[in-house]
Amino acid sequence: MLRLRVDAEGCQHLDPTAGPLPLDIEDMRQLPAEAVEARLLAKRRSWSHRRLDLGRGEAAAFGLSLLPDGACRLHVDTDMIAVDPNSFRIVIEDLARLYEHPGWPQAPASHGFFDWLDQAGAGSEGAKRRERDRVWWRARLADVPPAPDLPAAAHASAEPASERLAARLSPDERHALERRARDLRVTPSVLALGLFAAALGRATGQARFRLNVPSFWRAPLVPEVERIVGEFSNVLILGVDLAAAATL
């Protein structure tokens, strides 16, 4: 799946004759420390915004920065059309295992992602499930809230960009949130989702809107499914109605 190709019609292909992905190597060993840090930061920013060419089978990219004193930094970029978050973890764990034990080859999983996908929609039962789902959604489409009315950026760039936003909680703050979630009988993830919905409603002035919530459960339809790299996402449509809530 790291060499997945998507054609102009949106169909996915795997080329069994494709060669290994290239490794982009940049030598920074002679640069002063300040220049190394600036270059690594610029490289991280550039890789965060790049778009892989899926039409050419570029579902992943790997780079290596050679640093002073024998150090190095590995750069990894994958497209979520081919590699979901759990699959990215598998890729990184495989790399870590090969770093630690390069002489311990591991046999590939007995099945691949497309084997799993075939099973997911196979046979008359699969057709019945799809038809049942269509009927279920048709009966509810009229009640699905609209998408959030997000403001457009004043100076939108022609190229898409991905920005990181991060904050840290102290251990006491995290434990307090976990206790609050237990009091409400929800998971911490659901509590965070509720807070996100409340913040989004306040920012947009909307009380009723929908959110797309990805989940990544892989049904055990083939052996060793936990070792397969692929895109197992399922998007859940969550209707938010803040007006129906008495308090946050």
Side-chain angles (χ1 to χ4, degrees):
M1 292 296 284
L2 300 182
R3 295 191 297 269
L4 178 73
R5 181 172 62 85
V6 180
D7 64 25
E9 285 73 41
C11 295
Q12 302 180 56
H13 306 272
L14 294 178
D15 184 0
T17 64
L21 292 167
L23 180 65
D24 175 33
I25 300 177
E26 183 175 359
D27 192 344
M28 306 182 192
R29 288 175 291 185
Q30 303 305 316
L31 297 178
E34 297 80 3
V36 169
E37 287 303 314
R39 177 62 193 136
L40 287 174
L41 183 61
K43 196 168 185 177
R44 179 184 179 118
R45 187 178 299 115
S46 170
W47 278 56
S48 295
H49 300 326
R50 71 189 296 182
R51 285 189 292 175
L52 298 171
D53 190 349
L54 291 167
R56 296 176 54 191
E58 296 177 0
F62 295 87
L64 192 68
S65 295
L66 304 180
L67 307 177
D69 301 321
C72 61
R73 181 172 295 182
L74 179 68
H75 309 269
V76 183
D77 186 17
T78 59
D79 195 297
M80 284 188 64
I81 287 179
V83 184
D84 68 14
N86 285 334
S87 296
F88 183 79
R89 174 185 54 77
I90 294 170
V91 171
I92 297 303
E93 287 179 349
D94 277 354
L95 284 172
R97 179 182 53 79
L98 289 168
Y99 270 124
E100 295 292 332
H101 308 288
W104 291 4
Q106 183 177 8
S110 57
H111 292 72
F113 175 70
F114 284 99
D115 298 321
W116 179 90
L117 201 60
D118 288 342
Q119 290 298 317
S124 59
E125 286 302 315
K128 289 178 183 177
R129 284 196 302 270
R130 287 193 296 274
E131 183 56 30
R132 181 194 63 199
D133 292 345
R134 274 193 287 268
V135 170
W136 192 94
W137 277 107
R138 286 195 193 106
R140 288 163 175 80
L141 281 178
D143 297 324
V144 176
D149 187 16
L150 301 176
H155 303 287
S157 169
E159 290 294 321
S162 302
E163 298 296 339
R164 286 184 176 85
L165 300 175
R168 288 186 178 273
L169 300 179
S170 70
D172 288 344
E173 289 171 328
R174 174 179 171 172
H175 293 325
L177 283 174
E178 290 173 340
R179 287 194 300 270
R180 188 67 184 125
R182 284 197 298 269
D183 292 343
L184 295 168
R185 298 181 182 277
V186 298
T187 65
S189 295
V190 168
L191 177 61
L193 181 59
L195 293 171
F196 175 76
L200 187 60
R202 183 177 300 173
T204 60
Q206 286 176 274
R208 189 170 179 270
F209 52 88
R210 71 172 179 264
L211 295 175
N212 299 339
V213 184
S215 66
F216 302 100
W217 183 71
R218 24 180 102 193
L221 303 176
V222 296
E224 298 186 290
V225 68
E226 71 281 353
R227 292 184 54 206
I228 296 175
V229 170
E231 198 277 302
F232 294 89
S233 68
N234 182 28
V235 177
L236 311 177
I237 308 299
L238 175 67
V240 175
D241 188 355
L242 299 174
T247 67
L248 176 59

